[in-house]
Amino acid sequence: MMEAKLLLPDVEEENGAPFWAGAARDELLVQACGACGNWRFPPRPMCPHCRSVETKWERASGNAKVWGFVVPHPPLLPAYAELAPYNVIVVELDEDPTIRMVGNLLASPDGALNEIDPSTIEIGEPVRVVFQKVDDVTLPRWVRA
Amino acid sequence: MAKAFLQDKVAIAGIGQTSFGKGIEDSELSLGCQAISMALDECGIAPSEVDGTASFTMELNREVDIARNVGFGDVTFFSQVGYGGGAGCGTILHAAMAVATGQCRVAVAWRARKRAAKASRPWSQVPARLDDHWMWSRPFGLLRPVDEVAMLTRRYMHEYGATRDHLANVAIAFRKHANRNPNATMREKTLSREQYMEARWISEPLCLFDNCLETDGALAAVLVPAERAKDLPTKPVYVHSAAQGIPPQHQTMINYFNEDPLLGPSWAAAGQLWGGSEFKPDDVKVAQIYDAFSPLVPLSLEGYGFCGRGEGAEFTNDGALEWPNGRLPTNTAGGGMSEAYVHGFNLVLEGVRQMRGTSTSQVENADSCLVTSGEGVPTSALLLRN
Ligand SMILES: [Zn+2]
């Protein structure tokens, strides 16, 4: 549905593949240590708490809070410049606030990156995950909860 | 307490730099060779004596090409330091360690860069698909270093009450110093608080004047054992202490994925830096602090212990960073924001000038100078003394 030539992740990259596969099913998955159970993000092979390489994936509620946000203006890559100014947010997950993800705050689940008035975004405001398909990739983004 | 191994064992004996500008015709290789050549000539050392090199992993000039042009002899130590703007002081550290341990006798460290070249702005290139750590940030439009630092800045403002006025303090101080430096890109352009406040946004909360310049140019330094430096025509500037730093769970530029993202690489480097030093932050009267973006300055002031955590913004008030009367005149040649942005290597050379007594904004009676490299990336820092 969306903009052409946005930068997209390689959804087959070995560490992140389960995350992107989850997103494609509208599930926000977080990597968890198979031994000690701690969550970690972005995904990587070894748990820094216990050095286990056993991994499992757990579904997060998708409830989070805004940790920070920026509003980029040009010069930007063309696909992003068309949308600018837009917002980029970092959210912290309710289950574990040290698990943070970069995303965008949308007015509606199929909205664009530039529909929210940036002056209304507040650090700490509650958001929930939504999923948007861009080409063959599904990206987690966020709406106000 | 035992003296740290590296302390004052090695001196920066020669410095050289090309002019700074945009669209300089000379190639990056030519610029690098010219800067190194000038640094050698300044201290009267023949190129054939150079047996050690250190530069950035992002440096496009290879050691072999520099050596073939400038005419080095047998090179027995060559090192590259990673993480872009975090590398500058690290190259001096690596060179100094190599000289101090006898792996080489004359080392050159340098950075040559044509910022206008597309290859020097990695964010501007569109790869097919992102398969490294950028896959977790760039698809969402967090594209450029300024966006990544703006995110930390927003959080810093939220947690500690820092404001744009504090960031303006930084930009204005450095511009005033550039206005006194005939080599500075911004020597003719003054900057008022009104201009700062009205400037266009680049990535809110950062505006145009929170960003460094884009510069073509090259700089180099020559390092030799302290005993030899005493016999050379230049005034020796000693590497008193040096450190690199990566804090736990750090990710370069997008350092959002740990318990405390505002506790950056400066904190990690500071312990080693001051641990190897006879000076403490209170003794230091002048600093060159990496300023690709203005908020890196308050963060670094905190990390290196010039004030408490969260107090870096407040520290910049009352002209604290300004020559001649500020508590800590900083980036006294104009820094990356107003002199030139050559990945912070110009900060090293200004530190040397302060210790020689030849800065255009010379701080009286300064007997040590802090130089730092990028905050927000794996970093490095130096304490120079005269
Ligand atoms: Zn574990």
Side-chain angles (χ1 to χ4, degrees), chain A residues 7-10 20 43-44 48 67-71 73 75-76 80 86 88 100 102 104 123 136-137 140, chain B residues 126 129-131 135-136 138-141 144 147 150-151 154-155 158 201-204 249 256-259 261:
Chain A
L7 294 176
L8 291 172
D10 174 359
W20 300 112
R44 52 196 182 277
W67 181 85
F69 64 100
V70 301
V71 185
H73 293 249
L76 290 156
Y80 293 88
Y86 57 87
V88 187
R100 301 193 191 92
V102 181
N104 309 99
I123 288 179
D136 58 335
V137 177
Chain B
V126 185
R129 287 287 163 103
L130 300 162
D131 62 1
M135 71 195 287
W136 306 105
R138 290 195 177 158
F140 306 99
R144 306 161 296 183
D147 304 313
M151 189 67 78
R154 178 80 71 182
R155 186 69 197 183
H158 172 78
W201 293 116
I202 303 297
S203 192
E204 298 175 50
Q249 296 296 313
Y256 317 134
F257 311 117
N258 55 44
E259 281 190 20

Side-chain angles (χ1 to χ4, degrees), chain B residues 191-202:
Chain B
L191 176 63
S192 69
R193 196 163 294 267
E194 295 65 40
Q195 283 173 298
Y196 175 93
M197 289 298 171
E198 288 162 14
R200 66 186 169 88
W201 293 116
I202 303 297

Side-chain angles (χ1 to χ4, degrees), chain A residues 32-38 40 46-54:
Chain A
C33 175
C36 75
N38 276 297
R40 62 184 190 264
M46 182 172 280
C47 169
H49 303 282
C50 75
R51 287 175 285 149
S52 170
V53 293
E54 298 302 317

